[in-house]
Amino acid sequence: MLLIIDNQSAFIKKFKRQFLSEQDFDYVFFDHNQPITLSAKTKIKGIILSGGKGNPYEPLNLTSNYVALMNFDVPVIGFCLGHEIIAVSQRGRIKKLSEYHGKKEIITITKPEDPIFEGLNKTEVSLVKRHAFHVSELPASFESLGTSETCSNEIIRHRSKPIYGFQSHPEVSGEDGMLMVKNFLKICNII
């Protein structure tokens, strides 16, 4: 089963309607401020932390994100705010951009051999972005897999675990973005 934490993202709702509803696997949604209540028999195979408003330091209740990260040893992918939550939870730092960023941007992939990019066959992708903060300092256990003009840590990954963060929104970025999301689901052994 896929566990999805919704941090008030309009994009994750669109992803649910346009992609998840057509899939042949189980998933469960929890709001960012809702306790994660699962049966002891539930087998979580992967976690998605959605984007949303604010940042990990503001008074938005993000407890369920941190509970999920601490209690499940499974692959994780974070989009936008979820990406920032992953970085902060591992002692990385975020910083406010000089201006709000809300458009498509070219991301340069620096480690195309990573399984998240399988089948992409290119080192530049255009992904939707909508954010005011960015990961300014990576946690020691993470590496950067992609950069852009506005963010040096556009796509990150834990060095030894399948934990990914995307400052962008691949879940609504067309074919290339969906390929990376599907690759994540393959890493989880969900599809």
Side-chain angles (χ1 to χ4, degrees), residues 54-58 80-81 83-84 93-103 105 107 128-137 148-154 167-168:
N55 68 72
Y57 301 126
E58 288 185 351
C80 197
L81 175 58
H83 164 81
E84 296 161 11
R93 298 201 185 279
I94 63 167
K95 191 174 183 181
K96 190 167 182 138
L97 292 167
S98 58
E99 61 184 59
Y100 179 80
H101 196 78
K103 61 181 181 180
E105 187 169 12
I107 313 301
V128 171
K129 294 180 64 175
R130 190 181 292 174
H131 62 104
F133 291 83
H134 70 104
V135 176
S136 58
E137 185 179 316
S148 71
E149 284 187 16
T150 54
C151 302
S152 58
N153 298 308
E154 228 4 287
Q167 188 64 71
S168 55

Side-chain angles (χ1 to χ4, degrees), residues 104-113 117 119-128 145-149 154-155 166 168 173 175-177 179-180:
K104 276 195 162 191
E105 187 169 12
I106 300 295
I107 313 301
T108 302
I109 297 168
T110 56
K111 304 247 179 177
E113 67 280 2
F117 305 122
L120 196 57
N121 302 322
K122 54 176 127 178
T123 57
E124 289 190 344
V125 293
S126 179
L127 299 177
V128 171
L145 302 180
T147 64
S148 71
E149 284 187 16
E154 228 4 287
I155 303 171
F166 282 74
S168 55
S173 293
E175 198 174 300
D176 290 341
L179 176 67
M180 291 181 268

Side-chain angles (χ1 to χ4, degrees), residues 74-87:
V74 296
V76 178
I77 192 167
F79 307 136
C80 197
L81 175 58
H83 164 81
E84 296 161 11
I85 291 167
I86 289 168

Side-chain angles (χ1 to χ4, degrees), residues 172-188:
V172 292
S173 293
E175 198 174 300
D176 290 341
M178 283 310 302
L179 176 67
M180 291 181 268
V181 171
K182 288 176 182 175
N183 284 340
F184 172 72
L185 296 174
K186 287 178 188 173
I187 291 166
C188 298

